[in-house]
Amino acid sequence: MKLDRKEILKALETITIAGEGKNMVESGAVANVLTFGDEVVVDLVLHTPAMHIKKRAEDDIKKTIHELISTDAKIKVNIKVETPEKAEIKGRAIPGIKNIIAVASGKGGVGKSTVTANIAVTLAKMGFKVGVLDADIYGPSMPIMFDVENEKPVSITVDGKSKMKPIESYEIKMLSIGFFTAPSQAVIWRGPMAAKALNQMIFDADWGELDFMLLDLPPGTGDIHLSIMQSLPITGAVVVSTPQAVALADAKKGVSMFMQDNINVPVLGIIENMAYFTPEELPNNKYYIFGQEGAKNLAADLDVPFLGEVPIVQSIREAGDYGRPAALQTASPIEAVFEEITRNVVQEVVNRNESLPATEAIKITTMAGCSAVKKN
Ligand SMILES: Nc1ncnc2c1ncn2[C@@H]1O[C@H](COP(=O)(O)OP(=O)(O)O)[C@@H](O)[C@H]1O
Ligand SMILES: [Mg+2]
């Protein structure tokens, strides 16, 4: 059997790589195709390091050639990842803070803050230096979840400048909009106001060295989010959703907000919260109260990594209310759940940092349709 290079190229035209509108030949991803008898070597150049996209591209190529050309073809796929030139960051980089991870959800009440708090303590247990910035102006809940709701950050002098000193709890440094507003007060802030307050909590605070800063964003995809992304160089975003259709629809909007060309905050992945209920006395029974694997399927549809699932467990809720994140409970199933998710998040941050330049703060020149959002 002798394979024909042109026929193979034609077959490859039926494959599209996630995130690129055109087929892999047209988009330039196929750098070369060589044939030797029944062997074919396909050289691919991709702009994403995401393992699952590389894997899918390779699988698709093999499957397509086997189906359209010959089941006997011996196929080798070489993938080279080409990263964009490291751009000069003009936005304000934050000295000492290595990675800012935004935790977002389309809908409120899906467990965004619970997940943020538990990932934070898990990162700290893994040995990272961690800060949490509670940016949820509608319902700041970090002070309660970390049992510091009655604390007030004090001002200290660092190198002759006054700085806010973050509150510390369970080895996590934290600042929250909640420290500065009465708990009963419904805070209706506009985006620029929220962004200004957050800017102060980041740039005028003494965070010291942090490996990770987790940003608990308000729910939704409104102008507040744009303002925050405008002012902060966010490394990547994690989107939390329940498996329920209404939550998924909003999570999808959240993911597309980050992925928008002119915003371009890499989505590190989706976490499914309240994935199923397990009664403590029947640990092997799983009840899919909000539907099964909705967020997992959404991740597959949107071609973003699935970072893991968190069950509905009474002790997670109790721990949140009590002010001691459940993942701190050593040798518990909850600890294991959050260890796996946190490892996946760290892995995605590593992949992202290996492949992409630092995210620039973006400049929003008008709000209309976000079409005038541009890089600094
Ligand atoms: N996996 C879970 N199991 C049990 N209760 C949960 C779980 N995740 C969140 N909750 C509870 O659901 C409520 C909403 O969670 P929260 O993290 O405040 O949501 P969000 O920040 O998205 O508004 C809280 O009372 C919290 O304790
Ligand atoms: Mg919250």
Side-chain angles (χ1 to χ4, degrees):
M1 180 190 53
K2 200 170 174 313
L3 293 170
D4 182 83
R5 188 173 174 276
K6 276 204 188 114
E7 275 178 26
I8 289 176
L9 277 170
K10 214 157 162 222
L12 296 181
E13 280 174 8
T14 63
I15 309 175
T16 308
I17 294 170
E20 299 189 14
K22 300 171 184 163
N23 73 59
M24 60 167 55
V25 177
E26 224 184 319
S27 73
V30 177
N32 205 1
V33 171
L34 291 171
T35 53
F36 316 89
D38 63 350
E39 282 177 40
V40 52
V41 179
V42 179
D43 289 333
L44 271 194
V45 178
L46 300 182
H47 297 289
T48 165
M51 278 307 293
H52 65 289
I53 294 185
K54 288 196 268 187
K55 178 88 179 51
R56 182 179 292 190
E58 182 171 350
D59 290 348
D60 284 351
I61 288 172
K62 289 185 174 165
K63 190 162 159 261
T64 304
I65 295 177
H66 282 148
E67 273 173 14
L68 299 183
I69 313 268
S70 161
T71 46
D72 299 328
K74 296 198 182 80
I75 305 159
K76 188 164 176 346
V77 180
N78 294 320
I79 300 182
K80 192 169 147 215
V81 175
E82 233 171 47
T83 55
E85 294 266 295
K86 256 211 169 13
E88 179 94 353
I89 313 171
K90 296 213 192 70
R92 288 198 281 175
I94 306 171
I97 302 182
K98 291 196 190 129
N99 297 287
I100 302 182
I101 299 179
V103 185
S105 70
K107 215 168 118 29
V110 298
K112 179 170 46 64
S113 303
T114 304
V115 167
T116 306
N118 282 290
I119 291 179
V121 296
T122 307
L123 283 168
K125 278 200 283 186
M126 291 161 94
F128 293 112
K129 297 196 185 79
V130 186
V132 170
L133 181 59
D134 180 1
D136 192 344
I137 51 174
Y138 305 116
S141 51
M142 284 304 153
I144 292 180
M145 290 184 176
F146 282 84
D147 193 24
V148 289
E149 72 223 271
N150 295 319
E151 308 257 343
K152 282 270 170 281
V154 295
S155 170
I156 53 166
T157 310
V158 182
D159 301 331
K161 281 194 203 124
S162 299
K163 298 234 164 185
M164 236 182 288
K165 189 168 161 32
I167 301 290
E168 225 174 304
S169 180
Y170 310 116
E171 293 176 47
I172 309 293
K173 288 183 182 167
M174 118 165 39
L175 282 175
S176 168
I177 288 242
F179 291 136
F180 309 100
T181 56
S184 55
Q185 199 180 331
V187 192
I188 306 298
W189 290 12
R190 285 180 305 111
M193 282 165 69
K196 190 162 173 231
L198 291 178
N199 261 292
Q200 285 181 354
M201 286 195 273
I202 289 193
F203 295 102
D204 301 334
D206 179 35
W207 290 99
E209 300 273 318
L210 293 182
D211 296 304
F212 292 98
M213 172 182 273
L214 302 185
L215 189 60
D216 187 3
L217 286 179
T221 48
D223 70 327
I224 290 212
H225 300 82
L226 292 177
S227 291
I228 292 172
M229 284 182 270
Q230 168 183 34
S231 49
L232 299 179
I234 295 172
T235 312
V238 167
V239 177
V240 178
S241 182
T242 64
Q244 205 176 1
V246 281
L248 292 168
D250 287 356
K252 195 168 175 177
K253 280 188 216 153
V255 170
S256 32
M257 167 180 75
F258 291 115
M259 281 183 161
Q260 231 165 268
D261 259 358
N262 40 17
I263 290 184
N264 241 332
V265 169
V267 176
L268 302 171
I270 295 181
I271 296 174
E272 182 161 290
N273 188 31
M274 311 197 194
Y276 53 84
F277 169 69
T278 297
E280 260 152 81
E281 61 281 12
L282 293 169
N284 295 322
N285 288 25
K286 292 183 177 180
Y287 300 93
Y288 294 90
I289 294 175
F290 294 124
Q292 200 166 347
E293 298 193 338
K296 192 178 200 172
N297 293 333
L298 178 65
D301 281 355
L302 297 176
D303 231 325
V304 300
F306 182 66
L307 300 169
E309 54 184 25
V310 183
I312 304 176
V313 182
Q314 190 168 333
S315 60
I316 292 185
R317 200 269 305 149
E318 286 168 353
D321 290 350
Y322 180 77
R324 190 174 191 278
L328 285 169
Q329 181 73 43
T330 43
S332 66
I334 309 302
E335 180 189 45
V337 161
F338 280 104
E339 268 175 7
E340 190 193 328
I341 289 175
T342 305
R343 261 201 307 273
N344 290 338
V345 171
V346 173
Q347 183 58 53
E348 290 304 327
V349 171
V350 170
N351 292 349
R352 180 244 173 270
N353 287 349
E354 273 175 0
S355 65
L356 299 171
T359 306
E360 296 168 59
I362 50 175
K363 187 168 199 162
I364 299 171
T365 49
T366 78
M367 230 61 215
C370 311
S371 52
V373 177
K374 65 173 194 219
K375 294 277 177 190
N376 280 337

